Amino acid sequence: MACNENVVKNMANEITRNCQAHNVTVDPEFVTYIIDLLLLNPKYGKLFATTINRNNLAYFVEECVNMVIRGGTSLNTLKIQFILQTNYDKLDILIEKHEDSIHKCLRPLVNEILDVDPNPNDEEEFKKLFRKISIYIILKSGLGNPGFIVTLKEGMAALESVFSMDELKVFVALPRVEKMEQLQDLLEIVSGVRLFNRDCKKGGEGIPDLPFNLVDAGKACLTSLSTSLITIMQRVNTLTTAIQDCIEIQDETGNTMVHVGENSEVTVGDYYEVFELLAFNRQYEMFTRKLLFDVEYMTKRANDYVNKLKSVLEELHSAVRHKAAVPVVAVFPLFSKLWQVWRAMQNILFLISTVTRLMSIMSSIQEQINIPYEVLEKMLKEKTVISDQDRMNIEVTVEERIALAAVKGYIAYNEVSGMKEKHLEFLGFCAVCLSLGALMPSIMKVGVIRVNGCCYGFCSVQMALKFSVEPQRYINEVLEFSRNHPHLINLLNIVDKVFSVKNYEVLVSKRDAKKKVIDQDVQTEAHPVQEYHEKNYTSNLWEWKRRACQWATIVNCQTHSTQTHYSHLRSEIQCQTVEPRDKCLQTTKERGINTTTQNYFLWGLRGVLGYGQHNMDLRTQHGSEKSKAAKVTTCKWPCIGVVDDEDKEEFSSESGDFYNDAFEPQEQ
């Protein structure tokens, strides 16, 4: 990747300046944290895969600026993640960082003490060096402020009681490494002497009552964390109950989707807003539980150190009681031990103060979030808010257990009874619901499914059965959703998994349901077009022909007939018929209609002599039953009784049997 540390730092500075132009103040380190998460998404990562293009850089900066300016619940989730990641760690590491910061502050003073080379005959320079050593011991031990003359005199007196001026001259001649070791020994002994004098009521100016402050601070911090956790869990239980049963899986495609009722007053966008709000509170809950666990441990250790401090002081008092002189070998280790116990108590108090400061910061971020109470009331209609513990007690029927037993890689509840949510992937949240960002806790009684050595939990038996069909698909859907919503990456602790698929642009392709086609009639409106009557319209074909002749110049021309070789192919009649249809569909398209015309045929006009001509009615007979079109094979004589017998004999003599064959009625 072309984005190295310097490029990311420059982008962070550019984003910070652009945000300030919109009156939004943001920490550059926090912007760097966001950039690192966004680059896990191939949508942005591919922009800097090989080289850095100016247009791509401007596009990415604009996207980050819009994200920071827009804010929202997801950005607040990223903020508390960044705060805990940069300001909190394991307790031992926090103490080491604290001691390193003190050492860096005192390094100039230490260098002056170690590098000074006073004249052996100059007493003023040795006194000045002695004074610097006393100031260093007071500052490093945290036992008061050397700016106060009383505290400084007390520190110098304690140092002089264990470190004479002659020993200081020997100290100056030592190598630098040995000087540092002896300076550390003096720190422990002198601090122990001052603590012992404080307990004897012979000094201790500026030294706080650490045992009392430590116990009191531990109790106050525990109370604050417990109260905060109760409030957080109430919100978590409410939000979790609001979104339960809102995730469904399509049977045909297997796609997960948010189910919203037809008459529901809640939209899909409202559900996604609650998903982000639940993610923030879940992250807040995890950090609060972690801090509460650490404070409980620190409070227990603090009580042990208070008791140990009392025992060391009693041992010191018994060692020096009623004695004019005490061997250095016997008393100096006790002073060092006393100081070490005190230093451990100081470290615990520092950790407790750090936790209190972090809780105050996270509480201020939480106050910036607006909770949509009206939407929650609509979601919670006819629902009872239940806790995670109550949700774990949901029973699984025998039929469901039998169905789960056939699943590959299934582990029953009795085999995972000792397994906790932290041993499951995605922190124990349902692996199917997470594909839409819904943090539904899994139910351990349902069991888990092992895939590639990892165990996944589910919030219902139906989700487990759907997951078992295509487990890798739903895992990829969670990774796809997480890299598009970076606040879930550290929340679910899947940084390594998202990083392993950052080069794949598409992890899962949504499947489309097959289109269903049915054969049905569609009834349209009766008159889609406004009624219109044409004045010159007629259904008589001959009328149109007459008008055409009038419009044409053919009426002024002389015509004649011509005999051709194909004249004998002329038929007497041609009829175009249409088979009747069972159904009629009325559509919105403009079409012509075939109306029933009054067709008459004059039979006998060509090649027939006599009075055999007659009119044939070709109109469709309308009756109660539709009759099929039949071909005319014979002609019924319509004029029987009109022609005289003499005419019959004349026709018969001239045309032979023409009359008998053609004009006599025949039986059908």
Side-chain angles (χ1 to χ4, degrees):
M1 181 181 293
C3 275
N4 52 24
E5 184 177 356
N6 294 329
V7 175
V8 173
K9 185 177 180 180
N10 293 334
M11 286 193 296
N13 294 331
E14 181 67 19
I15 294 170
T16 303
R17 288 192 297 268
N18 293 344
C19 291
Q20 290 177 353
H22 292 83
N23 297 325
V24 177
T25 304
V26 62
D27 187 3
E29 295 183 359
F30 174 59
V31 177
T32 303
Y33 173 75
I34 296 177
I35 291 174
D36 292 337
L37 292 177
L38 290 179
L39 290 179
L40 296 176
N41 190 345
K43 174 183 176 182
Y44 303 112
K46 68 180 181 180
L47 299 177
F48 314 105
T50 55
T51 58
I52 299 178
N53 184 275
R54 183 176 296 274
N55 295 331
N56 294 340
L57 184 61
Y59 168 75
F60 181 72
V61 170
E62 184 179 0
E63 289 287 315
C64 294
V65 171
N66 293 334
M67 178 180 178
V68 174
I69 294 175
R70 184 171 60 252
T73 307
S74 59
L75 188 67
N76 289 326
T77 306
L78 292 173
K79 285 182 180 179
I80 63 173
Q81 291 175 358
F82 170 74
I83 290 171
L84 265 293
Q85 180 176 337
T86 55
N87 296 280
Y88 199 76
D89 207 333
K90 295 182 179 179
L91 300 182
D92 297 337
I93 297 177
L94 286 175
I95 292 173
E96 290 179 1
K97 291 181 179 180
H98 177 59
E99 292 180 349
D100 290 341
S101 64
I102 295 176
H103 180 70
K104 289 180 181 179
C105 294
L106 297 177
R107 183 175 297 172
L109 181 58
V110 174
N111 292 334
E112 289 182 8
I113 295 173
L114 298 180
D115 297 338
V116 69
D117 188 13
N119 189 355
N121 298 324
D122 192 351
E123 294 293 333
E124 292 297 330
E125 292 186 4
F126 279 99
K127 289 181 180 180
K128 190 175 181 180
L129 177 60
F130 191 86
R131 185 184 181 91
K132 288 182 179 180
I133 295 175
S134 300
I135 294 174
Y136 167 76
I137 292 174
I138 295 173
L139 291 175
K140 186 66 179 293
S141 63
L143 300 178
N145 184 4
F148 295 103
I149 189 64
V150 178
T151 304
L152 181 59
K153 286 182 178 181
E154 183 181 336
M156 293 179 66
L159 178 61
E160 190 175 1
S161 64
V162 298
F163 191 66
S164 63
M165 193 64 65
D166 294 335
E167 291 175 336
L168 181 59
K169 295 179 180 179
V170 177
F171 172 81
V172 173
L174 293 175
R176 184 182 179 88
V177 178
E178 294 183 7
K179 284 183 181 181
M180 193 64 203
E181 293 178 356
Q182 188 172 358
L183 196 61
Q184 185 64 30
D185 293 338
L186 288 174
L187 170 66
E188 296 180 359
I189 295 172
V190 172
S191 300
V193 170
R194 292 191 63 198
L195 292 172
F196 180 72
N197 292 337
R198 175 185 176 276
D199 189 67
C200 295
K201 308 298 182 182
K202 295 181 180 180
E205 185 68 27
I207 300 176
D209 189 0
L210 187 58
F212 175 78
N213 294 341
L214 185 60
V215 174
D216 187 52
K219 292 181 180 179
C221 189
L222 280 176
T223 304
S224 177
L225 285 171
S226 300
T227 305
S228 179
L229 182 61
I230 293 173
T231 306
I232 294 169
M233 290 309 301
Q234 290 176 351
R235 288 198 300 267
V236 167
N237 294 333
T238 302
L239 295 171
T240 304
T241 305
I243 66 172
Q244 68 181 6
D245 303 331
C246 73
I247 306 296
E248 66 175 11
I249 304 178
Q250 294 179 347
D251 295 333
E252 182 179 357
T253 62
N255 298 333
T256 56
M257 59 182 298
V258 177
H259 174 69
V260 180
E262 296 181 357
N263 299 325
S264 177
E265 299 177 359
V266 185
T267 62
V268 177
D270 294 333
Y271 275 104
Y272 279 106
E273 183 180 358
V274 175
F275 291 166
E276 293 185 358
L277 191 61
L278 179 59
F280 173 83
N281 285 276
R282 282 292 185 184
Q283 184 70 85
Y284 197 2
E285 174 202 352
M286 293 176 189
F287 287 153
T288 304
R289 290 185 182 276
K290 177 179 176 59
L291 296 177
L292 182 60
F293 177 79
D294 291 343
V295 171
E296 289 177 350
Y297 170 76
M298 289 185 287
T299 304
K300 183 179 179 180
R301 290 288 302 274
N303 294 328
D304 296 339
Y305 281 127
V306 169
N307 296 329
K308 190 174 182 180
L309 179 67
K310 293 179 180 179
S311 64
V312 173
L313 287 173
E314 290 177 358
E315 188 177 357
L316 260 174
H317 281 291
S318 62
V320 300
R321 184 179 295 120
H322 307 299
K323 293 181 181 179
V326 182
V328 173
V329 179
V331 72
F332 276 12
L334 293 176
F335 287 136
S336 298
K337 186 177 181 180
L338 178 61
W339 160 247
Q340 290 172 0
V341 175
W342 190 272
R343 170 59 82 183
M345 295 170 64
Q346 284 182 335
N347 291 335
I348 293 178
L349 186 61
F350 164 74
L351 294 176
I352 293 177
S353 63
T354 301
V355 171
T356 305
R357 179 173 56 87
L358 292 177
M359 284 299 300
S360 177
I361 296 174
M362 290 193 296
S363 177
S364 63
I365 295 175
Q366 193 274 331
E367 292 175 356
Q368 299 175 4
I369 296 179
N370 296 323
I371 301 177
Y373 292 104
E374 296 181 358
V375 176
L376 287 178
E377 289 179 0
K378 296 176 183 178
M379 292 181 179
L380 291 172
K381 186 180 297 184
E382 299 179 358
K383 291 183 180 179
T384 303
V385 178
I386 59 176
S387 62
D388 291 346
Q389 189 65 32
D390 297 334
R391 196 174 283 106
M392 294 299 170
N393 297 328
I394 297 176
E395 296 295 335
V396 181
T397 63
V398 178
E399 293 79 5
E400 292 174 340
R401 292 178 182 177
I402 295 174
L404 288 172
V407 174
K408 180 180 179 181
Y410 174 72
I411 303 176
Y413 169 67
N414 54 0
E415 300 179 13
V416 296
S417 57
M419 184 181 297
K420 298 181 180 179
E421 287 78 1
K422 64 181 181 180
H423 299 142
L424 301 177
E425 293 297 315
F426 307 136
L427 297 183
F429 293 107
C430 179
V432 178
C433 295
L434 277 177
S435 60
L436 295 178
L439 275 68
M440 287 295 300
S442 58
I443 301 175
M444 298 303 295
K445 288 189 177 182
V446 175
V448 299
I449 296 179
R450 187 186 298 274
V451 179
N452 297 330
C454 300
C455 296
Y456 300 89
F458 308 95
C459 62
S460 65
V461 176
Q462 291 75 16
M463 294 296 181
L465 295 176
K466 291 293 184 179
F467 179 85
S468 63
V469 178
E470 296 177 299
Q472 193 60 45
R473 173 194 176 183
Y474 293 104
I475 295 173
N476 291 339
E477 284 186 356
V478 176
L479 299 179
E480 178 75 17
F481 189 88
S482 298
R483 69 186 187 182
N484 291 323
H485 301 78
H487 66 280
L488 294 176
I489 296 178
N490 284 317
L491 171 60
L492 301 177
N493 195 18
I494 54 175
V495 179
D496 297 336
K497 292 187 176 182
V498 176
F499 181 81
S500 62
V501 296
K502 68 176 183 178
N503 295 326
Y504 298 93
E505 295 187 13
V506 180
L507 291 177
V508 180
S509 298
K510 290 291 183 179
R511 300 173 183 174
D512 297 330
K514 296 180 180 179
K515 295 182 179 180
K516 297 180 180 179
V517 181
I518 59 176
D519 186 10
Q520 65 179 5
D521 296 338
V522 180
Q523 177 64 37
T524 61
E525 53 184 314
H527 300 286
V529 182
Q530 188 176 2
E531 184 179 1
Y532 174 74
H533 295 281
E534 177 63 34
K535 296 180 179 179
N536 297 324
Y537 173 76
T538 179
S539 60
N540 190 352
L541 181 61
W542 293 101
E543 177 63 21
W544 285 110
K545 291 182 178 181
R546 186 183 66 80
R547 294 179 184 179
C549 291
Q550 291 177 354
W551 295 335
T553 58
I554 192 173
V555 294
N556 300 323
C557 300
Q558 184 179 2
T559 60
H560 63 276
S561 61
T562 303
Q563 184 71 23
T564 64
H565 295 290
Y566 297 96
S567 298
H568 67 283
L569 296 180
R570 289 177 295 180
S571 61
E572 297 178 351
I573 185 173
Q574 292 182 353
C575 296
Q576 184 178 6
T577 62
V578 178
E579 294 292 334
R581 298 178 59 183
D582 295 336
K583 294 183 179 180
C584 294
L585 300 180
Q586 186 178 11
T587 64
T588 58
K589 293 184 179 180
E590 294 184 358
R591 296 287 189 184
I593 58 175
N594 190 8
T595 60
T596 303
T597 58
Q598 297 181 0
N599 295 333
Y600 296 95
F601 181 72
L602 297 179
W603 193 90
L605 292 179
R606 180 180 296 173
V608 179
L609 300 178
Y611 298 98
Q613 296 88 353
H614 62 276
N615 184 13
M616 293 182 62
D617 188 4
L618 299 182
R619 290 180 298 174
T620 304
Q621 300 296 328
H622 297 283
S624 59
E625 295 183 358
K626 295 182 179 180
S627 60
K628 295 184 179 180
K631 185 176 181 181
V632 178
T633 57
T634 60
C635 180
K636 295 182 179 180
W637 183 257
C639 303
I640 297 177
V642 178
V643 183
D644 297 336
D645 294 337
E646 297 177 358
D647 296 333
K648 287 184 180 181
E649 293 176 359
E650 183 179 357
F651 287 130
S652 175
S653 61
E654 293 180 359
S655 57
D657 296 333
F658 179 81
Y659 173 85
N660 297 326
D661 295 336
F663 294 99
E664 285 293 329
Q666 298 180 5
E667 296 181 359
Q668 294 184 357

